[in-house]
């Protein structure tokens, strides 16, 4: 097909299915998934028997709610009891072609995951929806700033770009400086990394005297791995630094791929791949569904995962679902407004007020003079909690510090029921920089 006649959709039929047909397709896939889980995974049969639910009872999508949740804790316990992979795998180990691990956040035991051949072709296919949907085409040269280890990260996106026919540049463990040089030399037209690293690489380029807007040819930056990709101020910062459009995607290791992506309309949210997933949004306490426009916990059912049936998996991700009509692109998959809004587990209680790192980042990034930041929680005299935002400002912005300090403190308090934040200036280069998932919050309250 010539450039002019390319569809804007990777899968024109499924991405625009009328809602009623989409629901029929989901029901059919759900029935097959539950029957297969029952038959092939001892873990699933056990929890379904315990809940008194049988595959032939799934007659409508509402019956999904009869099925018990899967949790990360149960998955870890299952792997401890039946090492190495638990008894929820449906195929023998000999059929696997790849091994990966979750990133093991907050000191938890990482999950060990196996994938088969079919899993991998599906993993790549999901990324194709997202990359194509944001405008990547076969003539693109796509640069991956990713270390290609046992963390799944952009592995699937790499294969998706090969599948679409792009020229793929895997940068492995190169230094940031060498990556900057290669992006310029090779004329990369798309760049993929975490939002944190997209900013860091931009800052490094500036320090090297390279202006990415002028010296590089990147038109699209696709980010993943952190909620920041849908924070408007962070996105704007990346777009201005690169002179490119920035699109968000989100996935998880347990699925092996992405389940949401931002289309080229940039509607302020991410479309759900509803022909391959059911994304429920539930009240995290009661487990009851919440209506459109209400924040809740996403619970995912994945139709494409072969080795491990993922049915009603509780993610602890906070999202807000809105109807597909909020975007003009014609896709019938609903949207998560603002992408992933953070994790319920990341919530910190400070003097009675809830603080989410993503919400703090959204405010900090409204201040273009700020280059890097860190949130530190301490407990003064053993009783009173203090929250401090440490800030590094850009070269030449130090003179404006009193103004930045006052405004940032005011903005943070206004968004947190008047909670007082301490604002502290850090020396240039003092705060840690990150490549994969940024850890900008330090909770020292048990230590101080
Ligand atoms: Zn759209």
């Amino acid at each position: 097909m010539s450039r002019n006649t390319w569809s804007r959709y990777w899968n024109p039929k499924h991405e625009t299915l009328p809602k009623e047909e989409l629901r029929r397709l989901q029901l059919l896939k759900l029935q097959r998934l539950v029957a297969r889980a029952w038959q092939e995974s001892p873990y699933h049969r056990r929890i379904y028997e315990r809940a008194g639910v049988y595959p032939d009872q799934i007659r409508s999508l509402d019956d999904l709610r009869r099925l018990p949740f899967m949790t990360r804790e149960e998955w870890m316990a299952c792997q401890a009891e039946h090492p190495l992979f638990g008894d929820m795998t449906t195929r023998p180990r000999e059929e696997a072609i790849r091994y990966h691990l979750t990133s093991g956040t907050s000191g938890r035991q990482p999950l060990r995951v196996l994938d088969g051949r079919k899993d991998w072709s599906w993993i790549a296919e999901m990324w194709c929806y997202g990359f194509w949907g944001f405008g990547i085409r076969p003539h693109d040269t796509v640069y991956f700033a990713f270390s290609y280890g046992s963390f799944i990260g952009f592995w699937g996106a790499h294969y998706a770009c090969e599948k679409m026919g792009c020229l793929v540049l895997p940068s492995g463990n190169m230094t940031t400086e060498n990556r900057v040089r290669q992006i310029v030399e090779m004329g990369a037209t798309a760049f993929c990394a975490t939002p944190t690293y997209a900013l860091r690489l931009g800052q490094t380029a500036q320090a090297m005297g390279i202006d990415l807007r002028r010296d590089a040819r990147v038109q699209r930056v696709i980010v993943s791995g952190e909620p920041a990709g849908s924070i408007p101020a962070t996105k704007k910062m990346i777009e201005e630094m690169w002179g490119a459009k920035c699109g968000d995607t989100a996935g998880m290791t347990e699925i092996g791929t992405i389940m949401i992506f931002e289309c080229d309309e940039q509607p302020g949210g991410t479309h759900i791949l509803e022909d391959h997933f059911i994304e429920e949004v539930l009240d995290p306490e009661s487990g009851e569904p919440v209506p459109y426009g209400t924040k809740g916990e996403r619970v995912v059912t994945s139709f494409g995962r072969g080795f491990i049936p993922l049915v009603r998996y509780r993610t602890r991700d906070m999202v807000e679902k809105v109807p597909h009509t909020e975007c003009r692109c014609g896709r019938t998959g609903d949207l998560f407004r603002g992408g992933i809004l953070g994790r319920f587990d990341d919530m910190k209680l400070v003097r009675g007020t809830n603080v989410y790192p993503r919400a703090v980042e959204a405010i900090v990034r409204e201040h273009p003079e700020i280059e890097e930041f860190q949130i530190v929680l301490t407990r003064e005299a053993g009783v009173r909690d203090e929250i401090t935002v440490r800030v590094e400002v850009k070269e030449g912005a130090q003179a404006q510090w009193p103004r930045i300090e006052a405004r940032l403190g005011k903005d943070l308090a206004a968004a947190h029921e008047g909670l007082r934040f301490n604002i502290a200036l850090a020396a240039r280069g003092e705060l840690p920089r990150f490549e994969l998932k940024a850890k900008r919050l330090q909770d020292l309250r048990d230590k101080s």
Side-chain angles (χ1 to χ4, degrees):
M1 247 191 269
S2 84
R3 290 179 186 207
N4 300 330
T5 52
W6 273 324
S7 164
R8 73 185 300 184
Y9 313 108
W10 173 251
N11 184 334
K13 180 160 180 267
H14 279 187
E15 288 183 74
T16 58
L17 267 189
K19 220 55 170 185
E20 208 173 289
E21 285 177 50
L22 192 54
R23 296 292 173 243
R24 270 206 296 275
L25 179 69
Q26 286 180 324
L27 176 60
L28 193 74
K29 289 189 174 191
L30 179 66
Q31 288 168 329
R32 277 191 208 147
L33 172 67
V34 173
R36 193 168 60 81
W38 170 272
Q39 227 156 37
E40 297 176 355
S41 154
Y43 164 87
H44 284 88
R45 181 175 292 210
R46 206 161 54 235
I47 63 170
Y48 293 165
E49 278 180 341
R50 202 187 302 145
V53 54
Y54 301 90
D56 60 3
Q57 290 174 321
I58 306 298
R59 297 194 193 103
S60 75
L61 284 179
D62 288 336
D63 292 328
L64 178 65
R65 295 183 53 204
R66 291 165 171 258
L67 298 167
F69 296 119
M70 286 173 75
T71 63
R72 167 79 186 242
E73 287 68 29
E74 278 175 10
W75 195 333
M76 287 192 295
C78 180
Q79 293 201 334
E81 223 170 290
H82 307 269
L84 291 166
F85 300 101
D87 63 351
M88 52 176 62
T89 46
T90 60
R91 317 299 310 162
R93 177 175 167 153
E94 296 69 44
E95 284 185 28
I97 60 159
R98 182 65 68 79
Y99 168 65
H100 58 259
L101 283 169
T102 55
S103 55
T105 42
S106 46
R108 292 195 294 183
Q109 179 68 34
L111 290 174
R112 291 175 288 265
V113 183
L114 289 180
D115 307 300
R117 220 172 272 282
K118 261 176 91 174
D119 289 308
W120 270 94
S121 83
W122 175 75
I123 285 168
E125 177 75 6
M126 296 304 95
W127 280 101
C128 285
Y129 277 69
F131 271 53
W132 191 274
F134 197 63
I136 304 294
R137 295 294 179 267
H139 53 78
D140 274 302
T141 299
V142 187
Y143 196 93
F144 285 95
F146 168 61
S147 59
Y148 294 85
S150 58
F151 175 62
I152 191 149
F154 284 104
W155 273 110
H158 173 114
Y159 291 126
C161 288
E162 288 186 356
K163 183 171 176 175
M164 290 190 287
C166 304
L167 176 58
V168 176
L169 304 179
S171 67
N173 63 353
M174 280 168 86
T175 63
T176 303
E177 286 78 7
N178 282 338
R179 282 173 172 159
V180 170
R181 287 186 199 103
Q182 203 172 47
I183 286 165
V184 174
E185 180 194 78
M186 290 298 294
T189 56
F191 174 76
C192 308
T194 60
T196 292
Y197 192 73
L199 286 173
R200 180 173 152 208
L201 192 134
Q203 289 161 1
T204 304
Q206 279 167 5
M208 293 165 72
I210 290 173
D211 182 351
L212 291 172
R213 290 167 298 185
R214 187 194 63 212
D215 304 325
R217 292 181 53 207
V218 173
Q219 293 165 338
R220 288 177 186 80
V221 175
I222 298 187
V223 295
S224 203
E226 297 171 327
S230 281
I231 296 177
T234 307
K235 186 193 282 289
K236 188 164 158 254
M237 222 170 165
I238 293 172
E239 293 191 330
E240 283 174 0
M241 196 173 242
W242 285 81
K245 284 173 83 169
C246 175
D248 192 20
T249 63
M252 56 200 303
T253 309
E254 291 92 326
I255 298 175
T257 187
I258 54 167
M259 64 281 157
I260 51 175
F261 69 95
E262 180 173 354
C263 69
D264 58 6
E265 290 279 345
Q266 294 191 294
T270 45
H271 285 283
I272 300 165
L273 289 160
E274 289 203 54
D275 52 336
H276 292 273
F277 299 94
I278 294 176
E279 287 276 345
E280 300 172 80
V281 184
L282 308 179
D283 180 307
E285 302 301 327
S286 69
E288 292 298 312
V290 300
Y292 277 136
T294 305
K295 291 188 180 74
E297 177 184 353
R298 52 174 285 265
V299 173
V300 60
T301 295
S302 146
F303 300 130
R305 203 85 176 81
F307 248 75
I308 301 156
L310 210 72
V311 190
R312 298 201 91 200
Y313 182 65
R314 294 196 72 147
T315 65
R316 306 296 290 152
D317 284 340
M318 191 200 292
V319 290
E320 179 186 337
K321 197 192 270 189
V322 292
H324 66 91
T325 45
E326 292 227 345
C327 183
R328 293 172 305 179
C329 73
R331 287 180 179 81
T332 50
D334 285 341
L335 297 143
F336 284 146
R337 183 186 282 154
I340 304 289
L341 300 175
R343 293 182 53 73
F344 284 100
D345 299 342
D346 289 345
M347 198 269 284
K348 297 287 177 184
L349 195 65
V350 182
R351 301 203 294 269
T353 301
N354 295 345
V355 177
Y356 287 95
R358 184 195 188 271
V360 172
E361 172 163 3
I363 292 163
V364 171
R365 295 298 189 203
E366 295 281 350
H367 298 252
E369 312 87 358
I370 297 177
E371 187 166 301
E372 192 52 79
F373 72 99
Q374 186 181 48
I375 308 164
V376 185
L377 300 175
T378 50
R379 183 158 291 159
E380 299 304 318
V383 279
R384 186 182 153 90
D385 286 352
E386 290 290 337
I387 182 163
T388 304
V389 177
R390 303 181 67 216
V391 167
E392 247 182 67
V393 295
K394 284 185 183 148
E395 193 65 63
Q398 282 90 344
Q400 302 169 49
W401 177 244
R403 190 185 55 79
I404 298 168
E405 181 186 15
R407 224 189 89 202
L408 182 59
K410 205 169 140 230
D411 291 352
L412 285 167
H416 292 88
E417 303 166 342
L419 179 71
R420 198 178 67 80
F421 285 68
N422 305 305
I423 312 295
L425 181 65
R428 300 251 325 141
E430 188 187 340
L431 299 180
R433 302 297 201 267
F434 301 93
E435 181 158 336
L436 208 56
K437 290 172 187 270
K439 290 189 185 72
R440 293 198 176 89
L441 186 139
Q442 282 200 306
D443 192 345
L444 306 174
R445 285 179 294 185
D446 290 334
K447 291 165 192 150
S448 52

